[in-house]
C-alpha cells in the first residue's frame, strides 16, 4: 500500500498494519514507464492505492501494477490541458469529520456539504463533535443530534475530560480514515491524544496544502498506535461536487432519497411543485429544516 506520495515518488509499505501490528518494510518506488504511457485523466497512483512492485538491486522499487480502487477522494485540478482528477486518498474506509461544539461555532452547512461529498464518493462518514466540555452534553446533542436518526454516527469528544477518546480510538483502529474539518476544531489535539506527535505532523502538511503547495507537499498516511491509518484531507469544501448536477443532490441526502420516488413529478426540485413528498415530510417534521435548507443551498450551487 502507498503510504506516502510526493512528486512522483511513492513510499510503499509491504505489509500494511491493520490491527496494531508493526507493518513491514518501506520501499520508495517510482511508476514503471509503461504505466505512464498515454494521456492520464487523473493520478495513476495515489496515497492508499494497493500496488504490485518489483524491488531492484539497489533497494529501490518500481510500481508494476495499481489495483483497481474501490473509491477515491478526488479533487478537480483545472490544468491548462483540461480537467485532471487529483486523487487525495484512495480506498478510504471512512471519512471522519471533526467539528467543534463551540470555539469556533460549528458551521453545519459545511458539515452537510462534506457529508454530500462522502455520499457521492460512497465513503461511510463519522461525525466527531469535539470540545463537548465547552457546552455540555445536552447542548452538544441539540447541535449534532439531527444526524444520528439519518444514519450518521456522532461521537462526542473532549480532550479536557477524556470523553469519547476510547470510542474514537476504537472507530479508527484497523481502518484507513480520511480526516477533515475546519481549522480550530481540534483535529491535531485529538490525534496527539491518540498517537503522541501525530498532530504536529498532520498540521504541518495541512498548512502546506492550504498555501496551495498541492503538487510539492508530501501526502501521507499516518500510522496509529492502535492500528490503522489517518490522512489529513484538507479542501473538502472544494471537493467532488464539480461534476454534480443540481438534480442529483437529493440522492446524497439519505433522508430525502427514499422520498423522491413518491413525488408527483419525476423532475421535482422539492422547492415549489405540488405533490412533493419531500416538502410533505418537511411539514410533518420528518425532515429537519436545517438539512432541507442545506439541500436548497447546495442545489443552487451556494457555498
Amino acid at each position: 500500500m502507498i503510504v506516502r506520495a510526493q512528486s512522483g515518488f511513492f513510499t510503499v509499505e509491504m505489509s500494511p498494519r491493520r490491527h496494531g501490528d508493526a507493518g513491514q518494510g518501506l520501499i520508495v518506488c517510482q511508476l514503471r514507464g509503461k504505466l505512464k504511457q498515454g494521456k492520464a485523466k487523473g493520478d495513476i497512483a495515489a496515497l492508499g492505492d494497493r500496488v504490485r512492485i518489483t524491488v531492484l538491486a539497489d533497494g529501490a522499487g518500481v510500481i508494476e501494477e495499481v489495483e483497481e480502487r474501490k473509491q477515491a477522494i478526488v479533487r478537480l485540478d483545472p490544468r491548462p490541458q483540461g480537467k485532471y482528477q487529483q486523487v487525495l486518498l484512495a480506498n478510504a474506509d471512512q471519512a471522519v469529520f471533526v467539528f467543534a461544539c463551540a470555539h469556533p461555532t460549528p458551521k453545519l452547512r459545511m458539515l452537510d456539504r462534506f457529508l454530500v461529498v462522502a455520499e457521492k464518493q460512497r465513503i461511510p462518514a463519522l461525525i466527531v463533535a469535539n470540545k463537548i466540555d465547552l457546552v455540555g452534553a445536552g447542548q452538544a446533542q441539540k447541535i449534532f443530534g439531527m444526524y444520528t436518526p439519518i444514519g450518521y454516527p456522532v461521537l462526542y469528544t473532549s480532550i479536557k475530560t477524556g470523553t469519547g477518546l476510547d470510542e474514537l480510538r476504537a472507530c479508527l483502529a484497523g481502518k484507513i480514515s480520511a480526516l477533515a474539518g475546519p481549522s480550530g476544531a481540534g483535529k491535531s489535539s485529538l490525534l496527539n491524544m491518540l498517537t503522541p506527535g501525530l498532530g504536529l505532523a498532520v498540521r504541518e502538511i495541512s498548512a502546506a496544502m492550504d498555501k496551495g503547495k498541492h503538487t510539492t507537499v508530501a501526502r501521507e498516511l499516518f500510522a496509529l498506535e492502535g492500528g490503522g491509518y489517518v490522512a489529513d484531507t484538507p479542501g473538502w469544501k472544494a471537493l467532488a461536487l464539480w461534476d454534480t448536477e443540481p438534480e442529483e443532490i437529493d440522492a446524497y441526502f439519505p433522508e430525502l432519497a427514499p422520498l423522491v420516488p413518491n413525488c408527483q413529478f419525476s423532475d421535482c426540485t422539492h422547492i415549489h411543485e405540488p405533490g412533493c413528498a419531500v416538502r410533505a415530510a418537511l411539514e410533518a417534521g420528518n425532515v429537519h429544516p436545517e438539512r432541507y435548507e442545506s439541500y436548497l443551498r447546495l442545489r443552487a450551487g451556494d457555498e
Side-chain angles (χ1 to χ4, degrees), residues 134-155:
L134 296 179
V135 298
Q139 182 60 24
Q141 284 168 6
K142 277 185 185 176
I143 299 168
F144 292 96
M146 71 175 106
Y147 294 101
T148 308
I150 56 176
Y152 295 116
V154 181
L155 269 185

Side-chain angles (χ1 to χ4, degrees), residues 9-293:
F9 290 90
F10 304 94
T11 302
V12 174
E13 187 163 9
M14 296 294 286
S15 177
R17 71 180 73 194
R18 278 290 180 166
H19 293 283
D21 61 319
Q24 297 173 10
L26 297 175
I27 296 174
V28 177
C29 302
Q30 290 182 282
L31 284 172
R32 176 71 76 188
K34 67 179 181 181
L35 292 179
K36 295 186 279 188
Q37 290 173 359
K39 189 176 180 182
K41 294 180 180 178
D43 291 336
I44 298 165
L47 200 65
D49 270 329
R50 296 279 179 162
V51 296
R52 187 171 61 81
I53 72 169
T54 297
V55 181
L56 305 177
D58 63 0
V62 176
I63 294 175
E64 304 282 1
E65 182 185 341
V66 181
E67 280 189 13
E68 186 177 349
R69 295 166 183 145
K70 63 180 182 180
Q71 30 70 353
I73 300 167
V74 177
R75 175 174 53 208
L76 188 66
D77 185 3
R79 300 184 180 193
Q81 299 89 347
K83 296 176 179 178
Y84 183 90
Q85 294 183 17
Q86 194 176 51
V87 178
L88 298 187
L89 180 62
N91 302 316
D93 294 308
Q94 62 184 353
V96 180
F97 300 131
V98 181
F99 280 71
C101 295
H103 303 302
T105 302
K107 295 179 180 177
L108 298 186
R109 295 269 181 273
M110 181 189 293
L111 174 55
D112 287 339
R113 184 185 177 88
F114 286 8
L115 291 170
V116 165
V117 171
E119 290 287 341
K120 184 176 173 67
Q121 305 267 12
R122 302 189 308 279
I123 301 172
L126 168 68
I127 299 167
V128 176
N130 195 27
K131 304 186 184 180
I132 188 177
D133 54 282
L134 296 179
V135 298
Q139 182 60 24
Q141 284 168 6
K142 277 185 185 176
I143 299 168
F144 292 96
M146 71 175 106
Y147 294 101
T148 308
I150 56 176
Y152 295 116
V154 181
L155 269 185
Y156 296 93
T157 60
S158 167
I159 291 159
K160 195 170 183 180
T161 65
T163 301
L165 297 184
D166 287 341
E167 290 91 337
L168 178 57
R169 189 176 286 109
C171 287
L172 298 177
K175 294 181 179 176
I176 297 173
S177 301
L179 200 65
S183 58
K187 296 195 303 284
S188 297
S189 302
L190 282 171
L191 288 174
N192 277 334
M193 291 294 290
L194 298 173
T195 301
L198 183 54
L200 176 61
V202 167
R203 194 161 59 239
E204 286 172 351
I205 285 185
S206 186
M209 294 282 275
D210 287 342
K211 288 176 184 172
K213 299 177 181 175
H214 302 303
T215 53
T216 57
V217 69
R219 296 202 197 96
E220 194 160 350
L221 275 170
F222 293 97
L224 296 167
E225 283 185 350
Y229 296 84
V230 295
D232 193 28
T233 50
W236 272 77
K237 195 175 178 203
L239 279 180
L241 294 184
W242 40 265
D243 64 345
T244 305
E245 298 299 327
E247 56 269 22
E248 282 181 68
I249 295 290
D250 55 16
Y252 306 128
F253 279 74
E255 70 272 48
L256 304 188
L259 301 172
V260 172
N262 300 323
C263 289
Q264 184 174 336
F265 297 100
S266 61
D267 59 351
C268 186
T269 65
H270 322 306
I271 299 171
H272 51 71
E273 294 88 347
C276 172
V278 168
R279 290 199 313 154
L282 176 71
E283 288 163 13
N286 296 326
V287 170
H288 198 286
E290 290 293 321
R291 288 279 292 170
Y292 178 70
E293 183 64 26

